[in-house]
Amino acid sequence: MFDYIFIYDLQNYTPESSDKELEIDEHVDMELIAGVSQKESCCADEEMDVDTSLCTGDSQLDASLSMHDYCGSTPGYSDIRNQCTQTHISCKLIDACTQTDTDLWTSDTWVQTEKSIFFSYRDATTQVDKPLMTYENIKNSDDKVSFYTGIPNAYSFEALFNETKDDAEEQTGRKTKNIPMETDETRSRGESGRPRSLRLIDEFLLVLMRIRLGLLLEDLADRFRISTNTCGAIFNKWIDYLDVQFQFLVKWPSRSNIDSTMPYSFQKKYPKCRVVIDCTEIKTETPHSLLLKSAMYSDYKSHMTFKSLVGISPAGVVTFVSDLYTGSTSDKQITNLSGIVDLCEEGDAIMADKGFLISDLTTPKGVDLIIPPFKSKKKAFTPREVRQTKDIANLRIHVERQMERIKNFRILQGVMPISMASQSSKIWKLCTRLTNLQPPLVLTK
């Protein structure tokens, strides 16, 4: 190994120097050489301090750029490097051949194991590409919140999210088989599942945008800067979760609640009315099975459909929604299968259309059926029957308006993919429940 002072002399040596000049240099005052050597050594120490601080103080962005990456896959290495006190020796000293190759990088406190390195890398991963749309982009405008989510304002949106966020972290995560979701305890043991690509509130927004606007997964994936498979997994998990969490939005009210909120138009004509019911259909794709084709074909729509029953209170609030049935199922069958008659009490009345020939279901329960009168083949309507038909039509119009509100969720418009059949009932119920957050259809006074 060379002496540093000798290296300094070699740096000042030039081929043009004569032997006489070299002889004069040998008699240079040793104190001067020692002073120069001390000054150069101080400079080297300062450079080493600067390089050390730069090495240990790099930000995640600097570390990624130095490795020719866009911060998408290297944050874990930056964390590991900062945890281990690595020191980068000055280039000046390396050029002077005062360090060996094994001394270029030193680590005094390297305590990471292979397993902990992996989970440290995974925990640090975050989505660096900000989504084109986040909740912050719309929360200051109630009109935008209503347009993108179907929820009337930002206050209601945040209230719903706060109601569900406690368990959402665990229930909507992308868990691997036999691996629990990520918590502080599981993270320390290295047993947590796959990390999230989006914040919880943005995942909630993604799901509501899909059902409200009917957007395709590819479109949502581009908006939120995630893959299509991830977008589909997020949607499926949240639909299952919200189907349970949002059940409180549709409740069967008591008789006293119905009476206290009943509009004057009902009080005057039909004070016993407990619920106004109607069926509606949504189109779907044609299945491969011939048996399903026969069951799902609707003569009314001349298309493959799903069919559901919805009931509203006289005040216009949804109080009942059934599952989806095949399009060929009659209104009477759906009424029987849904169990809405069993929820009514003796003395109540159900208002319905002419197609609900369910008197054999309601009469044994002591429930009245309010439907328009039927015209006789030989006789015209009497003046009383005309007035009755008009009164019922004026009051039943509110359930039709409610159906329109539900179908403002564009995922129910057009033709629903047959691949969504397993979750079609959950999507239908979610759309129906969210309409109860909107202003009432009927004024109570």
Side-chain angles (χ1 to χ4, degrees):
M1 183 175 296
F2 297 102
D3 186 81
Y4 182 71
I5 299 177
F6 180 64
I7 295 298
Y8 175 79
D9 292 336
L10 288 180
Q11 289 175 348
N12 292 331
Y13 173 75
T14 57
E16 291 79 12
S17 301
S18 60
D19 295 338
K20 184 177 181 179
E21 290 174 344
L22 290 176
E23 183 179 354
I24 293 174
D25 290 340
E26 291 176 357
H27 295 84
V28 175
D29 189 359
M30 294 303 296
E31 294 181 358
L32 178 61
I33 296 177
V36 174
S37 176
Q38 183 177 1
K39 181 178 180 181
E40 190 71 13
S41 177
C42 292
C43 293
D45 292 339
E46 292 177 357
E47 291 178 10
M48 182 175 66
D49 292 339
V50 172
D51 287 342
T52 303
S53 64
L54 288 175
C55 181
T56 59
D58 281 343
S59 65
Q60 179 178 327
L61 180 61
D62 294 335
S64 299
L65 292 177
S66 65
M67 300 181 72
H68 302 285
D69 186 83
Y70 292 97
C71 310
S73 60
T74 60
Y77 296 107
S78 177
D79 292 341
I80 294 173
R81 187 185 66 183
N82 291 334
Q83 293 173 3
C84 306
T85 58
Q86 298 170 344
T87 304
H88 184 213
I89 305 303
S90 171
C91 295
K92 181 70 175 179
L93 297 179
I94 295 174
D95 293 340
C97 301
T98 59
Q99 294 290 331
T100 62
D101 292 339
T102 58
D103 292 330
L104 296 182
W105 290 88
T106 61
S107 177
D108 298 333
T109 57
W110 181 270
V111 293
Q112 296 282 355
T113 63
E114 181 179 357
K115 185 176 181 180
S116 60
I117 290 174
F118 170 76
F119 284 101
S120 175
Y121 170 78
R122 187 189 59 195
D123 295 343
T125 55
T126 54
Q127 179 175 332
V128 176
D129 291 336
K130 182 181 178 181
L132 298 178
M133 171 171 286
T134 62
Y135 175 62
E136 285 72 21
N137 296 126
I138 65 173
K139 70 177 184 179
N140 294 325
S141 172
D142 290 344
D143 291 337
K144 287 187 176 181
V145 172
S146 177
F147 173 78
Y148 283 107
T149 68
I151 299 175
N153 50 59
Y155 177 81
S156 300
F157 180 95
E158 294 174 5
L160 280 180
F161 176 72
N162 292 333
E163 182 71 21
T164 61
K165 70 177 182 180
D166 294 337
D167 297 330
E169 183 72 37
E170 179 181 356
Q171 298 296 328
T172 64
R174 300 182 64 188
K175 295 188 291 186
T176 344
K177 188 177 181 180
N178 298 328
I179 297 181
M181 277 310 299
E182 184 174 11
T183 62
D184 293 337
E185 183 179 357
T186 57
R187 187 187 300 112
S188 62
R189 298 198 308 262
E191 299 176 354
S192 52
R194 188 171 180 178
R196 294 181 178 274
S197 300
L198 297 173
R199 300 177 302 166
L200 277 177
I201 194 169
D202 288 334
E203 289 186 0
F204 185 53
L205 174 64
L206 181 150
V207 174
L208 294 181
M209 286 179 61
R210 176 155 168 75
I211 65 173
R212 172 65 181 88
L213 302 178
L215 300 177
L216 299 177
L217 292 177
E218 291 79 2
D219 188 0
L220 288 169
D222 290 339
R223 291 172 186 252
F224 288 89
R225 301 287 185 88
I226 56 177
S227 67
T228 304
N229 290 337
T230 300
C231 186
I234 291 173
F235 180 77
N236 292 334
K237 286 285 186 180
W238 274 91
I239 287 297
D240 294 337
Y241 179 63
L242 295 180
D243 181 58
V244 177
Q245 292 294 316
F246 284 177
Q247 289 183 3
F248 71 93
L249 291 176
V250 173
K251 290 290 186 180
W252 184 258
S254 65
R255 180 73 245 184
S256 59
N257 288 336
I258 293 292
D259 293 337
S260 62
T261 58
M262 183 173 291
Y264 177 74
S265 57
F266 276 88
Q267 291 179 4
K268 183 180 178 181
K269 300 290 184 181
Y270 304 100
K272 293 183 179 181
C273 182
R274 184 72 176 268
V275 64
V276 183
I277 62 174
D278 197 9
C279 284
T280 188
E281 299 179 60
I282 56 176
K283 294 181 179 180
T284 184
E285 294 177 340
T286 303
H288 292 291
S289 170
L290 294 177
L291 181 62
L292 287 178
K293 286 181 181 179
S294 176
M296 295 180 66
Y297 184 79
S298 170
D299 293 329
Y300 178 68
K301 294 287 187 180
S302 299
H303 202 279
M304 303 295 170
T305 64
F306 294 123
K307 194 173 184 179
S308 175
L309 182 142
V310 175
I312 66 170
S313 69
V317 179
V318 178
T319 58
F320 183 86
V321 56
S322 73
D323 292 326
L324 289 177
Y325 298 89
T326 54
S328 62
T329 309
S330 67
D331 295 344
K332 182 177 180 179
Q333 286 179 301
I334 294 179
T335 304
N336 187 28
L337 294 173
S338 65
I340 189 173
V341 178
D342 297 331
L343 295 175
C344 295
E345 303 172 2
E346 185 177 355
D348 289 341
I350 297 177
M351 182 176 289
D353 193 11
K354 284 184 179 181
F356 285 84
L357 304 177
I358 56 175
S359 58
D360 58 330
L361 301 177
T362 59
T363 302
K365 301 284 184 179
V367 177
D368 295 333
L369 180 62
I370 305 173
I371 59 174
F374 288 90
K375 180 182 176 182
S376 174
K377 293 183 179 179
K378 297 182 179 180
K379 297 181 180 180
F381 278 148
T382 65
R384 180 179 175 274
E385 291 175 337
V386 172
R387 287 194 302 270
Q388 185 181 4
T389 302
K390 183 178 179 181
D391 291 339
I392 294 175
N394 288 339
L395 297 177
R396 277 197 66 260
I397 192 63
H398 300 305
V399 73
E400 302 290 347
R401 294 171 61 199
Q402 180 60 44
M403 296 297 186
E404 182 183 0
R405 277 189 173 184
I406 298 173
K407 292 188 177 181
N408 279 336
F409 288 86
R410 298 179 67 88
I411 197 171
L412 304 176
Q413 300 178 9
V415 179
M416 180 177 288
I418 196 66
S419 59
M420 297 176 64
S422 60
Q423 289 190 315
S424 58
S425 286
K426 297 177 182 179
I427 295 172
W428 166 256
K429 288 183 177 181
L430 177 58
C431 297
T432 305
R433 290 163 179 164
L434 290 177
T435 59
N436 271 350
L437 298 174
Q438 299 178 15
L441 287 171
V442 186
L443 296 178
T444 56
K445 298 296 181 181

